[in-house]
Amino acid sequence: MPKQYAQLGGAPVLSRSLSVLLGHPDIDLGVVVIAEADRSLYDAAVLGAHAKLASPVLGGATRQRSVLNGLRALAPLAPSQVLIHDAARPFLTPDIVARVLAGLGRSPGAIAAVPLADTLKRAGPDRHIEATLDRAGLWRAQTPQGFRFEAILQAHEAALAAGRDLTDDAAVAEWAGIPVELVEGSEANFKLTTAEDLAMAARIIETAPAAPGEVRTGQGFDVHRFCAGDHVWLCGVRIPHGQALEGHSDADVGLHALTDALLGAIGDGDIGQHFPNTDPRWRGAASHVFLADAARRVRARGGTVSNVDVTLLCEAPKIAPYREPMRARIAEILKLDISRVAVKATTTEGLGFTGRREGIAAVATATVVLR
Ligand code: MG
Protein backbone atom coordinates (compact mmCIF):
# COMPACT_ATOMS: atom_id res chain seq x y z
CA MET A 1 0.00 0.00 0.00
CA PRO A 2 1.30 3.51 -0.77
CA LYS A 3 2.68 5.07 2.44
CA GLN A 4 0.27 8.02 2.34
CA TYR A 5 -2.67 5.65 2.85
CA ALA A 6 -1.05 3.42 5.48
CA GLN A 7 -2.63 3.43 8.92
CA LEU A 8 -0.69 5.38 11.51
CA GLY A 9 -2.04 5.41 15.06
CA GLY A 10 -5.56 4.63 13.86
CA ALA A 11 -5.67 7.22 11.05
CA PRO A 12 -4.40 7.15 7.46
CA VAL A 13 -1.13 9.05 6.96
CA LEU A 14 -2.81 11.37 4.43
CA SER A 15 -5.53 12.45 6.86
CA ARG A 16 -2.93 13.74 9.32
CA SER A 17 -1.16 16.28 7.12
CA LEU A 18 -4.44 17.12 5.38
CA SER A 19 -6.12 18.05 8.67
CA VAL A 20 -3.21 20.37 9.56
CA LEU A 21 -3.36 22.08 6.16
CA LEU A 22 -7.15 22.38 5.94
CA GLY A 23 -7.31 23.42 9.59
CA HIS A 24 -5.02 26.39 8.98
CA PRO A 25 -6.99 29.67 8.93
CA ASP A 26 -4.93 31.10 6.04
CA ILE A 27 -5.57 28.12 3.77
CA ASP A 28 -8.78 28.34 1.76
CA LEU A 29 -8.77 25.16 -0.30
CA GLY A 30 -6.91 21.87 -0.61
CA VAL A 31 -6.68 19.45 -3.49
CA VAL A 32 -5.08 16.01 -3.31
CA VAL A 33 -3.37 14.52 -6.35
CA ILE A 34 -3.95 10.78 -6.39
CA ALA A 35 -3.26 7.74 -8.55
CA GLU A 36 -6.36 6.47 -10.32
CA ALA A 37 -6.00 3.06 -8.68
CA ASP A 38 -5.98 4.65 -5.21
CA ARG A 39 -9.43 6.26 -5.42
CA SER A 40 -11.01 3.99 -2.80
CA LEU A 41 -8.00 4.41 -0.47
CA TYR A 42 -8.35 8.17 -0.86
CA ASP A 43 -12.08 8.10 -0.14
CA ALA A 44 -11.48 6.06 3.00
CA ALA A 45 -8.70 8.41 4.11
CA VAL A 46 -10.63 11.67 3.76
CA LEU A 47 -13.93 10.23 5.05
CA GLY A 48 -16.38 12.31 3.06
CA ALA A 49 -16.56 15.97 2.28
CA HIS A 50 -14.65 18.77 3.96
CA ALA A 51 -15.65 22.35 3.27
CA LYS A 52 -12.09 23.22 2.19
CA LEU A 53 -11.34 20.05 0.20
CA ALA A 54 -11.83 20.00 -3.58
CA SER A 55 -12.29 16.80 -5.57
CA PRO A 56 -9.05 14.87 -6.01
CA VAL A 57 -7.03 15.23 -9.20
CA LEU A 58 -5.38 12.33 -11.03
CA GLY A 59 -1.60 12.40 -11.04
CA GLY A 60 0.86 11.71 -13.82
CA ALA A 61 3.83 9.42 -14.40
CA THR A 62 6.24 11.56 -12.38
CA ARG A 63 6.04 13.67 -9.25
CA GLN A 64 6.57 16.79 -11.36
CA ARG A 65 3.73 15.87 -13.70
CA SER A 66 1.41 15.11 -10.78
CA VAL A 67 2.07 18.50 -9.21
CA LEU A 68 1.39 20.19 -12.55
CA ASN A 69 -1.98 18.40 -12.77
CA GLY A 70 -2.83 19.71 -9.30
CA LEU A 71 -1.79 23.25 -10.24
CA ARG A 72 -3.81 23.14 -13.47
CA ALA A 73 -6.89 22.04 -11.49
CA LEU A 74 -6.50 25.06 -9.21
CA ALA A 75 -5.78 27.55 -12.01
CA PRO A 76 -9.44 28.45 -12.76
CA LEU A 77 -9.75 29.64 -9.13
CA ALA A 78 -6.79 32.00 -9.65
CA PRO A 79 -5.30 31.59 -6.17
CA SER A 80 -2.55 34.04 -5.24
CA GLN A 81 -0.35 31.48 -3.49
CA VAL A 82 -0.04 27.72 -3.26
CA LEU A 83 1.63 25.31 -0.83
CA ILE A 84 2.73 21.96 -2.24
CA HIS A 85 3.10 19.19 0.33
CA ASP A 86 4.13 15.52 0.31
CA ALA A 87 1.17 13.52 1.63
CA ALA A 88 3.64 11.10 3.21
CA ARG A 89 4.88 13.69 5.72
CA PRO A 90 2.30 13.16 8.48
CA PHE A 91 4.11 15.17 11.16
CA LEU A 92 3.48 18.54 9.55
CA THR A 93 2.59 21.14 12.18
CA PRO A 94 0.71 24.44 12.01
CA ASP A 95 4.00 26.18 12.96
CA ILE A 96 5.75 24.95 9.83
CA VAL A 97 2.79 26.00 7.67
CA ALA A 98 2.89 29.44 9.29
CA ARG A 99 6.65 29.81 8.68
CA VAL A 100 6.32 28.86 5.01
CA LEU A 101 3.46 31.33 4.58
CA ALA A 102 5.48 34.04 6.35
CA GLY A 103 8.44 33.32 4.04
CA LEU A 104 6.12 33.50 1.09
CA GLY A 105 5.16 36.99 2.24
CA ARG A 106 8.83 38.00 1.80
CA SER A 107 9.86 35.97 -1.26
CA PRO A 108 8.22 34.55 -4.40
CA GLY A 109 9.00 31.09 -3.03
CA ALA A 110 9.61 29.66 0.46
CA ILE A 111 10.15 26.06 1.50
CA ALA A 112 10.55 24.20 4.77
CA ALA A 113 14.06 22.82 5.18
CA VAL A 114 16.45 21.64 7.88
CA PRO A 115 20.17 22.38 8.04
CA LEU A 116 22.32 19.33 7.46
CA ALA A 117 23.52 17.95 10.80
CA ASP A 118 25.53 14.94 9.65
CA THR A 119 29.00 15.20 8.18
CA LEU A 120 29.00 14.43 4.47
CA LYS A 121 31.36 11.87 2.99
CA ARG A 122 31.96 11.10 -0.62
CA ALA A 123 32.85 7.46 -1.20
CA GLY A 124 34.50 5.77 -4.13
CA PRO A 125 33.16 2.63 -5.83
CA ASP A 126 34.80 0.48 -3.10
CA ARG A 127 32.90 2.42 -0.40
CA HIS A 128 36.03 3.97 0.95
CA ILE A 129 35.97 7.65 1.80
CA GLU A 130 37.49 9.85 -0.83
CA ALA A 131 36.55 13.20 0.67
CA THR A 132 34.79 14.95 3.49
CA LEU A 133 32.51 17.63 2.08
CA ASP A 134 31.90 21.01 3.60
CA ARG A 135 28.32 21.00 4.86
CA ALA A 136 28.19 24.76 5.50
CA GLY A 137 25.15 26.18 3.76
CA LEU A 138 23.68 22.76 3.02
CA TRP A 139 20.02 22.11 3.87
CA ARG A 140 17.64 19.21 3.32
CA ALA A 141 14.51 20.32 1.49
CA GLN A 142 11.16 19.33 2.99
CA THR A 143 7.61 20.32 2.23
CA PRO A 144 5.40 22.37 2.30
CA GLN A 145 6.96 24.33 -0.51
CA GLY A 146 5.13 27.59 -1.11
CA PHE A 147 5.05 29.76 -4.22
CA ARG A 148 3.18 32.57 -5.87
CA PHE A 149 0.69 30.61 -7.88
CA GLU A 150 1.08 32.03 -11.38
CA ALA A 151 4.88 31.89 -11.18
CA ILE A 152 5.09 28.22 -10.15
CA LEU A 153 2.38 27.18 -12.63
CA GLN A 154 4.28 28.84 -15.48
CA ALA A 155 7.56 27.34 -14.26
CA HIS A 156 6.02 23.84 -14.25
CA GLU A 157 4.51 24.33 -17.72
CA ALA A 158 7.88 25.52 -19.01
CA ALA A 159 9.73 22.61 -17.36
CA LEU A 160 7.32 20.15 -18.98
CA ALA A 161 7.76 21.80 -22.39
CA ALA A 162 11.54 21.68 -21.95
CA GLY A 163 11.45 18.01 -20.99
CA ARG A 164 13.04 18.64 -17.60
CA ASP A 165 12.51 16.11 -14.80
CA LEU A 166 13.20 17.83 -11.49
CA THR A 167 12.97 16.29 -8.01
CA ASP A 168 10.98 18.93 -6.19
CA ASP A 169 9.08 22.13 -6.82
CA ALA A 170 11.85 24.29 -5.43
CA ALA A 171 14.07 22.80 -8.15
CA VAL A 172 11.44 23.74 -10.74
CA ALA A 173 11.37 27.27 -9.30
CA GLU A 174 15.16 27.45 -9.24
CA TRP A 175 15.35 26.29 -12.86
CA ALA A 176 12.85 29.03 -13.79
CA GLY A 177 14.78 31.70 -11.86
CA ILE A 178 12.27 32.17 -9.05
CA PRO A 179 14.00 33.17 -5.78
CA VAL A 180 13.18 30.68 -3.00
CA GLU A 181 13.75 31.27 0.71
CA LEU A 182 14.50 28.45 3.17
CA VAL A 183 12.45 28.56 6.34
CA GLU A 184 12.83 26.33 9.37
CA GLY A 185 11.18 22.95 8.92
CA SER A 186 11.51 20.24 11.52
CA GLU A 187 13.40 16.96 11.88
CA ALA A 188 10.03 15.50 12.86
CA ASN A 189 8.56 16.51 9.50
CA PHE A 190 10.23 13.57 7.79
CA LYS A 191 8.89 11.76 4.76
CA LEU A 192 7.73 8.17 5.12
CA THR A 193 9.63 6.35 2.40
CA THR A 194 10.49 2.92 3.77
CA ALA A 195 8.75 0.38 5.99
CA GLU A 196 11.29 1.37 8.63
CA ASP A 197 10.08 5.00 8.43
CA LEU A 198 6.51 3.87 8.93
CA ALA A 199 7.50 1.76 11.94
CA MET A 200 9.38 4.73 13.42
CA ALA A 201 6.36 7.00 12.84
CA ALA A 202 4.13 4.47 14.60
CA ARG A 203 6.51 4.42 17.59
CA ILE A 204 6.50 8.24 17.74
CA ILE A 205 2.71 8.29 17.84
CA GLU A 206 2.48 5.46 20.38
CA THR A 207 4.84 7.15 22.80
CA ALA A 208 3.46 10.67 22.35
CA PRO A 209 1.49 11.72 25.42
CA ALA A 210 -2.23 11.55 24.73
CA ALA A 211 -3.68 14.98 24.17
CA PRO A 212 -5.62 16.04 27.24
CA GLY A 213 -9.32 15.84 26.51
CA GLU A 214 -11.62 18.79 26.63
CA VAL A 215 -13.73 18.62 29.77
CA ARG A 216 -17.37 19.58 29.33
CA THR A 217 -20.20 19.81 31.83
CA GLY A 218 -23.91 19.90 31.20
CA GLN A 219 -26.92 20.37 33.41
CA GLY A 220 -30.54 19.30 33.12
CA PHE A 221 -33.76 20.09 34.95
CA ASP A 222 -37.20 18.51 34.69
CA VAL A 223 -40.56 18.50 36.43
CA HIS A 224 -43.55 16.19 36.14
CA ARG A 225 -46.81 16.61 37.98
CA PHE A 226 -48.59 13.88 39.92
CA CYS A 227 -51.74 12.26 38.54
CA ALA A 228 -53.86 9.25 39.49
CA GLY A 229 -51.97 5.98 39.51
CA ASP A 230 -50.17 3.42 41.63
CA HIS A 231 -46.48 3.77 40.76
CA VAL A 232 -43.82 6.18 39.49
CA TRP A 233 -40.69 5.62 37.41
CA LEU A 234 -37.65 7.39 38.84
CA CYS A 235 -34.11 6.96 37.48
CA GLY A 236 -35.17 3.83 35.64
CA VAL A 237 -36.68 2.13 38.70
CA ARG A 238 -40.38 1.37 39.21
CA ILE A 239 -41.53 2.53 42.64
CA PRO A 240 -44.99 1.68 44.03
CA HIS A 241 -46.68 4.91 45.06
CA GLY A 242 -50.21 6.23 45.68
CA GLN A 243 -49.92 8.46 42.60
CA ALA A 244 -48.26 8.39 39.18
CA LEU A 245 -46.39 11.06 37.24
CA GLU A 246 -48.11 12.58 34.24
CA GLY A 247 -46.25 12.65 30.95
CA HIS A 248 -46.14 11.62 27.32
CA SER A 249 -43.50 8.97 28.07
CA ASP A 250 -43.11 7.10 31.36
CA ALA A 251 -42.50 10.55 32.95
CA ASP A 252 -39.20 9.48 34.53
CA VAL A 253 -38.19 12.93 35.68
CA GLY A 254 -34.73 11.78 36.84
CA LEU A 255 -33.75 10.21 33.51
CA HIS A 256 -35.14 13.19 31.62
CA ALA A 257 -33.00 15.66 33.61
CA LEU A 258 -29.97 13.41 33.11
CA THR A 259 -30.60 13.07 29.36
CA ASP A 260 -30.63 16.87 29.09
CA ALA A 261 -27.42 17.10 31.12
CA LEU A 262 -25.61 14.82 28.64
CA LEU A 263 -27.03 16.68 25.64
CA GLY A 264 -26.05 19.95 27.31
CA ALA A 265 -22.44 18.81 27.72
CA ILE A 266 -22.06 18.35 23.97
CA GLY A 267 -24.30 21.26 22.97
CA ASP A 268 -26.71 18.98 21.14
CA GLY A 269 -30.17 20.40 21.82
CA ASP A 270 -32.47 18.86 24.40
CA ILE A 271 -34.69 15.85 24.96
CA GLY A 272 -37.76 17.61 23.59
CA GLN A 273 -35.97 18.35 20.32
CA HIS A 274 -34.81 14.77 19.76
CA PHE A 275 -37.96 13.09 21.12
CA PRO A 276 -40.88 15.53 20.65
CA ASN A 277 -43.91 14.75 22.78
CA THR A 278 -46.05 15.28 19.68
CA ASP A 279 -44.55 12.09 18.20
CA PRO A 280 -46.77 9.06 18.92
CA ARG A 281 -43.69 6.81 18.84
CA TRP A 282 -42.68 8.11 22.28
CA ARG A 283 -46.13 7.72 23.94
CA GLY A 284 -45.53 5.71 27.08
CA ALA A 285 -41.89 5.18 26.06
CA ALA A 286 -39.45 3.90 28.64
CA SER A 287 -37.07 6.79 29.27
CA HIS A 288 -33.91 4.67 29.17
CA VAL A 289 -34.31 4.97 25.38
CA PHE A 290 -33.76 8.74 25.64
CA LEU A 291 -30.80 8.41 27.96
CA ALA A 292 -29.14 5.72 25.83
CA ASP A 293 -29.59 7.92 22.77
CA ALA A 294 -27.91 10.86 24.52
CA ALA A 295 -25.01 8.55 25.50
CA ARG A 296 -24.72 7.44 21.88
CA ARG A 297 -24.54 11.09 20.79
CA VAL A 298 -21.76 11.73 23.31
CA ARG A 299 -19.77 8.74 22.00
CA ALA A 300 -20.32 9.86 18.41
CA ARG A 301 -18.55 13.12 19.31
CA GLY A 302 -15.58 11.17 20.64
CA GLY A 303 -16.78 11.81 24.18
CA THR A 304 -16.56 9.73 27.33
CA VAL A 305 -18.86 10.27 30.29
CA SER A 306 -16.78 10.87 33.41
CA ASN A 307 -19.57 11.08 35.94
CA VAL A 308 -23.23 11.93 36.32
CA ASP A 309 -25.11 13.26 39.34
CA VAL A 310 -28.88 13.37 39.77
CA THR A 311 -30.86 15.01 42.58
CA LEU A 312 -34.57 14.27 42.97
CA LEU A 313 -36.73 16.84 44.77
CA CYS A 314 -39.88 15.44 46.38
CA GLU A 315 -41.62 14.81 49.69
CA ALA A 316 -42.66 11.31 48.62
CA PRO A 317 -41.98 8.60 47.73
CA LYS A 318 -38.96 8.00 49.94
CA ILE A 319 -35.97 7.61 47.66
CA ALA A 320 -33.39 6.13 50.03
CA PRO A 321 -34.46 2.48 49.62
CA TYR A 322 -34.19 2.83 45.82
CA ARG A 323 -31.00 4.82 45.60
CA GLU A 324 -28.67 1.87 44.87
CA PRO A 325 -30.96 0.24 42.29
CA MET A 326 -31.24 3.67 40.60
CA ARG A 327 -27.47 4.09 40.46
CA ALA A 328 -27.10 0.55 39.11
CA ARG A 329 -29.73 1.12 36.43
CA ILE A 330 -28.21 4.41 35.25
CA ALA A 331 -24.74 2.81 35.21
CA GLU A 332 -26.17 -0.01 33.10
CA ILE A 333 -27.85 2.34 30.59
CA LEU A 334 -24.75 4.54 30.27
CA LYS A 335 -22.32 1.58 30.37
CA LEU A 336 -20.48 3.22 33.25
CA ASP A 337 -18.99 1.93 36.45
CA ILE A 338 -21.43 2.56 39.29
CA SER A 339 -18.80 4.67 41.08
CA ARG A 340 -19.35 7.30 38.37
CA VAL A 341 -23.08 7.59 39.07
CA ALA A 342 -24.64 9.52 41.97
CA VAL A 343 -28.31 9.70 42.88
CA LYS A 344 -29.40 11.97 45.70
CA ALA A 345 -32.75 13.15 46.99
CA THR A 346 -34.05 15.97 49.07
CA THR A 347 -37.38 17.33 50.21
CA THR A 348 -38.04 21.04 49.89
CA GLU A 349 -39.18 21.37 53.51
CA GLY A 350 -42.81 21.50 52.49
CA LEU A 351 -42.19 24.57 50.36
CA GLY A 352 -43.19 25.13 46.78
CA PHE A 353 -44.88 22.74 44.37
CA THR A 354 -42.75 19.80 45.41
CA GLY A 355 -43.45 20.63 49.06
CA ARG A 356 -47.17 20.68 48.30
CA ARG A 357 -46.74 17.21 46.72
CA GLU A 358 -47.96 18.44 43.34
CA GLY A 359 -45.13 16.82 41.46
CA ILE A 360 -41.49 15.80 41.41
CA ALA A 361 -38.53 17.83 40.13
CA ALA A 362 -35.06 16.60 39.22
CA VAL A 363 -31.76 18.28 38.48
CA ALA A 364 -28.76 16.55 36.96
CA THR A 365 -25.21 17.30 35.92
CA ALA A 366 -22.92 15.34 33.63
CA THR A 367 -19.21 15.64 32.95
CA VAL A 368 -17.97 14.53 29.54
CA VAL A 369 -14.41 14.41 28.20
CA LEU A 370 -14.08 15.03 24.46
CA ARG A 371 -10.96 13.77 22.65
MG1 MG B 1 -39.77 15.24 31.26
Side-chain angles (χ1 to χ4, degrees), residues 222-224 249 251-253 256-257 271:
D222 196 29
V223 172
H224 282 262
S249 65
D252 188 329
V253 66
H256 292 182
I271 190 172

Side-chain angles (χ1 to χ4, degrees), residues 12 21 63 89 121 156 192 213 246 344 352:
L21 288 165
R63 181 189 188 286
R89 291 186 192 267
K121 305 292 184 187
H156 264 282
L192 307 186
E246 193 176 286
K344 312 192 299 301

